[in-house]
Amino acid sequence: PAYLRRYPFAMVRLEPGSDQIALCYDSEWAGFSEEKGEALFGADGEPTEFLLNAKNFLESFEQEVERTRMACEELMALDLLQDMRFDATLPSGEKLEVDGFLALDEKKYAELADEHVLRLHRNGLLSLLEMHRLSMNNMSRLATRHDTQA
């Protein structure tokens, strides 16, 4: 949801590997208007509160993207992720197939050495892994719920 909510704005690195970033926007987006809506810049040429809020949101978003990248690197280094596929037959008889995602390898997770478990705990990943496990257990329930609502 945050990825979608940030649109039509985005942060872009000015050079690969650089810490310099720029706030960009899709100037062709139909939601932009020169006659109505929120101004991006004030009469003085300075960013408005609206634009500053967008910038702050994007900076937080980029920090979370970086945290996610680092977490994935850690999980990949520990070889805890595996390709997954989810298949369900809904009560209506409709088949639901979802693939192309990674999930926790439960066997490798259970066999993880104590020092790795402690490191995952200290860097906050252990609780995220437990939330992931709970989420995965809810996939069938969500599919059934989706079918009921449809």
Side-chain angles (χ1 to χ4, degrees), residues 68-117:
T68 300
R69 185 190 63 72
M70 290 170 53
C72 290
E73 284 178 359
E74 177 77 15
L75 297 175
M76 294 297 282
L78 293 171
D79 196 28
L80 289 178
L81 299 177
Q82 64 181 349
D83 290 320
M84 286 294 292
R85 177 181 173 88
F86 174 74
D87 295 306
T89 302
L90 305 176
S92 66
E94 179 186 354
K95 301 249 187 240
L96 179 65
E97 299 172 354
V98 180
D99 61 5
F101 66 98
L102 297 173
L104 183 65
D105 184 322
E106 293 285 344
K107 183 177 184 314
K108 289 178 181 175
Y109 182 56
E111 296 170 351
L112 202 57
D114 291 350
E115 67 267 14
H116 296 303
V117 173

Side-chain angles (χ1 to χ4, degrees), residues 5-132:
R5 208 168 63 237
R6 70 177 177 72
Y7 190 80
F9 299 100
M11 290 291 226
V12 177
R13 293 204 183 279
L14 296 178
E15 295 179 25
S18 167
D19 286 339
Q20 290 185 318
I21 55 175
L23 175 65
C24 301
Y25 64 93
D26 179 358
S27 63
E28 300 298 315
W29 182 54
F32 280 126
S33 169
E34 293 190 22
E35 289 85 37
K36 59 183 179 178
E38 297 286 339
L40 299 179
F41 298 95
D44 60 359
E46 293 297 314
T48 62
E49 185 176 344
F50 176 79
L51 186 56
L52 291 174
N53 287 340
K55 177 184 171 281
N56 290 338
F57 178 79
L58 286 169
E59 286 173 344
S60 295
F61 179 82
E62 289 299 320
Q63 288 172 352
E64 292 304 315
V65 166
E66 181 62 18
R67 284 182 58 206
T68 300
R69 185 190 63 72
M70 290 170 53
C72 290
E73 284 178 359
E74 177 77 15
L75 297 175
M76 294 297 282
L78 293 171
D79 196 28
L80 289 178
L81 299 177
Q82 64 181 349
D83 290 320
M84 286 294 292
R85 177 181 173 88
F86 174 74
D87 295 306
T89 302
L90 305 176
S92 66
E94 179 186 354
K95 301 249 187 240
L96 179 65
E97 299 172 354
V98 180
D99 61 5
F101 66 98
L102 297 173
L104 183 65
D105 184 322
E106 293 285 344
K107 183 177 184 314
K108 289 178 181 175
Y109 182 56
E111 296 170 351
L112 202 57
D114 291 350
E115 67 267 14
H116 296 303
V117 173
L118 180 60
R119 188 170 79 226
L120 290 173
H121 169 69
R122 293 252 165 89
N123 67 21
L125 285 177
L126 199 59
S127 60
L128 293 176
L129 287 174
E130 290 306 311
M131 286 186 268
H132 166 74

